[in-house]
């Protein structure tokens, strides 16, 4: 275990293209959204710089950007800490997600072809295998890919752009309840695929709304335990 609490192997390799500060930002954001860096955790510039193999300056710049975006809290005389989301913040974000995803499901039911349905089935099968193996990280990643595919099949670029803006925060909130949701989440995905395949727009909308609401209620139930 590293001194900042990062599991061995959790630190992503920095890709070479692009400004260093942007690569450090992406690396830190990935560590936060996957909860390798947990809410409330103290972020020490020198330690993060050492783990990432960079100087402190790009780390400082990345932390300032993450602070602006609400991922990190900079506290006077104390330093940087991973933001701890409030119940209200989570509720607002997950409510918006429900609206976006429900419309995406409706449009996917109207527009998806055989190839799209097959892609959803393959992603669902991978997600089910991840749950069976108790691989939470893989299950979270496959859940994100499944929902992104539904969004792609919707065929609405503006809707997809809006969804992309909340995608990482959705992953952040979903990760703590992924094991709790477990197989039930993928059963719900299977039902959604059936509705999309049947071109039943109303049913697809209802199922996606129920599915995303289950995640929202699971998150809040976890917060109370």
């Amino acid at each position: 275990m590293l001194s900042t609490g990062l599991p061995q192997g959790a630190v992503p390799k920095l890709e070479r293209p692009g400004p260093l500060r942007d690569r450090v930002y992406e690396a830190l954001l990935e560590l936060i959204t996957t909860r390798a860096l947990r809410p409330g955790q103290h972020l020490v510039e020198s330690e993060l710089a050492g783990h990432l193999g960079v100087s402190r300056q790009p780390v400082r710049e990345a932390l300032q950007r993450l602070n602006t975006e609400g991922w990190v809290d900079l506290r006077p005389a104390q330093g940087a800490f991973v933001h701890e989301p409030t119940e209200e913040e989570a509720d607002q974000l997950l409510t918006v997600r429900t609206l976006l995803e429900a419309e995406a499901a409706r449009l996917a039911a109207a527009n998806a072809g055989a190839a799209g349905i097959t892609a959803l089935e393959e992603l669902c099968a991978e997600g089910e295998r991840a749950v069976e193996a108790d691989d939470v990280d893989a299950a979270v990643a496959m859940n994100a890919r499944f929902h992104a595919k539904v969004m792609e099949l919707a065929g609405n670029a503006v809707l997809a752009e809006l969804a992309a803006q909340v995608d990482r925060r959705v992953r952040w909130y979903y990760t703590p309840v992924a094991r709790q949701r477990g197989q039930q989440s993928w059963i719900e995905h299977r039902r959604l695929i059936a509705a999309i395949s049947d071109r039943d727009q109303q049913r697809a909308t209802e199922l996606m709304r129920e599915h995303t609401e289950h995640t929202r209620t699971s998150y809040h139930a976890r917060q109370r335990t």
Side-chain angles (χ1 to χ4, degrees):
M1 183 71 72
L2 301 175
S3 58
T4 53
L6 291 176
Q8 293 290 348
V11 180
K13 293 182 179 179
L14 298 184
E15 299 296 333
R16 289 301 170 192
L20 184 58
R21 64 178 178 274
D22 292 344
R23 289 184 276 131
V24 171
Y25 162 84
E26 286 293 335
L28 293 179
L29 182 53
E30 182 68 12
L31 289 168
I32 291 171
T33 55
T34 58
R35 294 188 178 242
L37 291 172
R38 303 190 64 79
Q41 186 168 338
H42 188 202
L43 303 174
V44 181
E45 287 182 8
S46 59
E47 293 182 351
L48 291 172
H51 298 328
L52 295 172
V54 299
S55 68
R56 293 176 62 175
Q57 184 59 33
V59 172
R60 183 177 299 114
E61 293 174 354
L63 291 176
Q64 289 172 346
R65 179 177 173 185
L66 291 165
N67 171 248
T68 300
E69 296 176 356
W71 293 101
V72 166
D73 296 327
L74 297 179
R75 304 174 188 170
Q78 296 183 53
F81 297 81
V82 178
H83 180 66
E84 296 185 72
T86 66
E87 291 247 2
E88 183 178 7
E89 289 171 356
D91 196 66
Q92 290 177 358
L93 187 283
L94 294 173
T95 297
V96 169
R97 183 229 186 176
T98 294
L99 296 173
L100 296 174
E101 297 273 7
E103 178 62 8
R106 184 187 72 80
L107 292 173
N111 300 322
I117 300 300
T118 298
L120 288 177
E121 290 173 341
E122 291 173 350
L123 290 169
C124 196
E126 288 189 51
E128 289 164 344
R129 286 193 289 271
V131 170
E132 184 67 24
D134 197 29
D135 188 340
V136 173
D137 289 342
V140 171
M142 294 313 304
N143 182 73
R145 287 181 59 188
F146 180 90
H147 283 270
K149 188 63 181 181
V150 174
M151 191 64 63
E152 177 187 325
L153 296 176
N156 186 310
V158 175
L159 187 64
E161 182 179 352
L162 292 172
Q165 293 178 24
V166 302
D167 175 65
R168 266 180 156 154
R169 290 193 185 273
V170 169
R171 286 179 59 192
W172 195 33
Y173 295 130
Y174 182 71
T175 297
V177 300
R179 182 174 279 114
Q180 176 185 339
R181 291 282 282 130
Q183 191 62 41
Q184 181 59 35
S185 179
W186 297 94
I187 291 172
E188 293 165 10
H189 285 161
R190 287 286 181 188
R191 292 171 181 161
L192 178 63
I193 293 172
I196 293 174
S197 181
D198 291 342
R199 296 191 174 278
D200 188 336
Q201 297 181 44
Q202 181 176 348
R203 180 66 174 154
T205 302
E206 292 172 352
L207 285 171
M208 182 64 92
R209 184 176 292 115
E210 291 172 0
H211 174 68
T212 54
E213 280 295 301
H214 288 159
T215 296
R216 187 170 72 91
T217 55
S218 294
Y219 181 84
H220 288 309
R222 173 189 175 276
Q223 294 294 87
R224 290 193 293 268
T225 60

